[in-house]
Amino acid sequence: LMAAAAVMPLLGYGAVSMYSLRTGAQETVVQGNLNVARQVSEQISLYVTGSVKILKALAADLQQTGLAPWQKDRILKNYVLEFPEFKELTLIDESGRPTITSRLGKPSVMVPGSAVTKIDDVLISKFSVDSDLLPTADLAIRLNDVESTGWLVARLNLEELWRMVDRIRVGSNGYASVITSEGQLLAHGDPDQKSRVARGDKMTGHPLINLLNSEKSERTASAEYSDERRTFLGVAARIPLLDWTVIVEQPQSEAFAIPI
């Protein structure tokens, strides 16, 4: 009995130590994955704000300079060549008619409607997936030229950010994804999930989206949840500029595995 009494405190200490070790390891993994999600969030914000600044600079070059139409045409085409952020640049008059475009064929852009985001006087349409399965949106800024008024509209290309999400790996089987404010899956690093991006699947029922929506003031969240395949450790970080969400998911068995 005395031996058992002596062993019991040691067993209790060992159990507490193991629990503390596991809890600390879990917190470290969660914070590490959250850092990845935050970095992706920051990169997307920088890409979009950088594109807005470029578009404003182009608008300043075009306004009140007395440029001939052929000169404006050349400027638009040069900008598209110099800045891969843009797939197309088009001038649209007040009636909605395209007048000058960098596109070889018929212009495909239009001035965004009412459901838009506004950043520093630039309107941004909802993001969608184009025919090449790449995320895109239209940006527009109003021109106030003494000769004419209208809009400068750009088709934004997020291919580089799409590739960045594609390259992210957390462990061997952890991937990142990007979800719009409407809940649309815009990009996913897991090759098995690419078809969902092409279909424009909605992610409004995702556990992390629900968690963030229930805590409006929170910009990050973490949780453990399961689907038909496995149990995941997931973390999420908001992109305040666009109200998008970056999610990083890793199989729980890998995330909390004890290295040998």
Side-chain angles (χ1 to χ4, degrees), residues 34-49 117 119 124 127 135 158 161-162 164-165 168 176-182 184 186-187 208-209 212-213 216-221 235-248:
L34 268 175
N35 287 338
V36 173
R38 290 191 187 100
Q39 288 172 10
V40 176
S41 170
E42 291 170 2
Q43 288 297 316
I44 293 175
S45 294
L46 288 173
Y47 192 93
V48 174
T49 55
T117 300
I119 301 176
I124 304 178
F127 281 74
L158 285 177
L161 288 181
W162 186 79
M164 177 189 67
V165 172
I168 290 173
S177 59
V178 179
I179 300 169
T180 69
S181 57
E182 294 80 29
Q184 181 182 346
L186 198 62
L208 288 170
I209 297 296
L212 282 173
N213 288 339
K216 294 293 185 181
S217 61
E218 295 297 323
R219 291 189 177 182
T220 63
V235 300
R238 290 282 199 199
I239 307 176
L241 181 73
L242 301 165
D243 198 25
W244 291 0
T245 303
V246 175
I247 290 178
V248 173

Side-chain angles (χ1 to χ4, degrees), residues 114-126:
S114 56
V116 298
T117 300
K118 190 174 183 180
I119 301 176
D120 201 11
D121 296 328
V122 174
L123 303 180
I124 304 178
S125 71
K126 291 182 179 180

Side-chain angles (χ1 to χ4, degrees), residues 190-209:
D190 186 348
D192 294 337
Q193 302 296 315
K194 296 296 185 186
S195 60
R196 301 183 66 189
V197 176
R199 293 194 305 264
D201 281 5
K202 294 292 185 178
M203 305 289 287
T204 49
H206 193 285
L208 288 170
I209 297 296

Side-chain angles (χ1 to χ4, degrees), residues 163-176:
R163 289 175 177 171
M164 177 189 67
V165 172
D166 219 29
R167 291 192 296 264
I168 290 173
R169 293 291 184 276
V170 180
S172 300
N173 299 289
Y175 300 95

Side-chain angles (χ1 to χ4, degrees), residues 91-154:
L91 292 174
I92 297 178
D93 64 20
E94 288 290 356
S95 66
R97 181 178 63 90
T99 56
I100 301 173
T101 182
S102 65
R103 189 177 170 90
L104 294 179
K106 183 179 179 181
S108 61
V109 299
M110 62 181 64
V111 179
S114 56
V116 298
T117 300
K118 190 174 183 180
I119 301 176
D120 201 11
D121 296 328
V122 174
L123 303 180
I124 304 178
S125 71
K126 291 182 179 180
F127 281 74
S128 60
V129 178
D130 65 15
S131 58
D132 296 322
L133 303 183
L134 298 173
T136 187
D138 289 346
L139 278 61
I141 183 170
R142 179 172 285 281
L143 301 177
N144 295 304
D145 199 305
V146 293
E147 299 176 355
S148 61
T149 58
W151 296 84
L152 169 61
V153 185

